[in-house]
């Protein structure tokens, strides 16, 4: 058990998880931190502390310098490919298996583009911000997730005469409409919501935490640091998700 965790609260949260009819989990970069993938807003190691998002993560940036942007995303893709899911990803996959085996609903909304949830065995995953492993032709919109690693050149020309752009959502872009619709539907009917490893400051993803509170779901927040939405949490655990989630899963007696 991570130090400083209130065991009574953990048991109560685990009981709520075990008894829930419909569970939604929202994850952010923190869930992958223990796999060695940097978060975005950590003051020292966060990606946006080291790199300028306006030069790398906007449609304008790609238009200005597609080679630079493609290379930066390709390097992130290679780094993620070398990382492996941690105990937090595995615990979420186990929670999904147990809940769905009992005919209840489980949906995992992730802001992460690293595919680690899928590699850990989670199946009901909605990638709200796309994926580093999917590239999209700028002319046809065709998605490719089989492009060589690294790309042979930057930017990579597509067969249709365009170039391949990273299949992620950039600042100033809409999230994929289908993903948002499915996520909103799941949140509307959930009775338990887990907010894990996200700073809760990027919308519309963070809005799902507020919507869950609005429909009366109980909320479990797992994050070593408080967030602007911590006040909505029924239970808040200030611990790394790779340590806390396995304990939460083990403490839940699913019937
Ligand atoms: P952030 O970097 O904003 O927040 C990461 C959160 O994870 C912070 O609140 C940390 O305290 C927490 N954290 C760090 N280590 C943790 C651990 N071991 N276990 C649990 N929590 C931990 O990342 P996101 O909230 O994912 O969007 O950021 C949201 C979006 O902003 C990203 O998807 C990305 C970024 O700009 C796009 O690129 C479109």
């Amino acid at each position: 058990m991570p130090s400083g965790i209130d065991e009574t609260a953990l048991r109560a949260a685990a009981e709520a998880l075990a008894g829930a009819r419909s569970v939604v989990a929202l994850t952010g970069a923190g869930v992958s931190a223990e796999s060695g993938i940097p978060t975005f807003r950590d003051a020292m190691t966060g990606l946006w502390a080291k790199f300028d998002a306006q030069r790398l993560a906007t449609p304008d940036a790609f238009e200005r310098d597609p080679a630079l942007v493609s290379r930066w995303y390709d390097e992130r893709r290679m780094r993620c490919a070398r990382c492996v899911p941690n105990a937090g990803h595995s615990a979420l996959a186990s929670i999904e298996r147990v809940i769905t085996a009992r005919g209840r609903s489980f949906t995992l909304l992730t802001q992460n583009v690293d595919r680690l949830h899928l590699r850990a065995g989670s199946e009901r995953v909605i990638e709200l911000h796309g994926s580093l492993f999917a590239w999209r032709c700028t002319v046809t919109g065709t998605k490719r997730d089989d492009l060589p690693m690294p790309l042979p050149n930057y930017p990579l020309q597509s067969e249709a005469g365009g170039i391949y752009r990273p299949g992620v959502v950039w600042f100033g872009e809409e999230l994929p409409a289908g993903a948002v619709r499915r996520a909103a539907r799941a949140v509307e009917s959930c009775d338990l919501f887990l907010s894990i490893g996200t700073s809760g400051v990027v919308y519309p993803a963070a809005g799902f935490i507020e919507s869950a509170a609005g429909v009366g779901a109980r909320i479990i927040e797992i994050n070593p640091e408080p967030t602007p939405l911590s006040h909505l949490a029924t239970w808040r655990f200030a611990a790394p998700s790779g340590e806390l989630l396995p304990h939460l899963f083990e403490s839940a007696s699913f019937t």
Side-chain angles (χ1 to χ4, degrees), residues 28-30 33-34 39-41 48 111 129 169 171 197-199 202 222-225 239-241:
E34 289 151 273
T39 63
F40 293 95
R41 292 180 181 76
W48 299 150
Q111 299 165 88
H129 292 169
V169 176
F171 289 105
T198 178
S199 56
V202 174
I222 302 170
N223 192 321
E225 304 297 330
S241 48

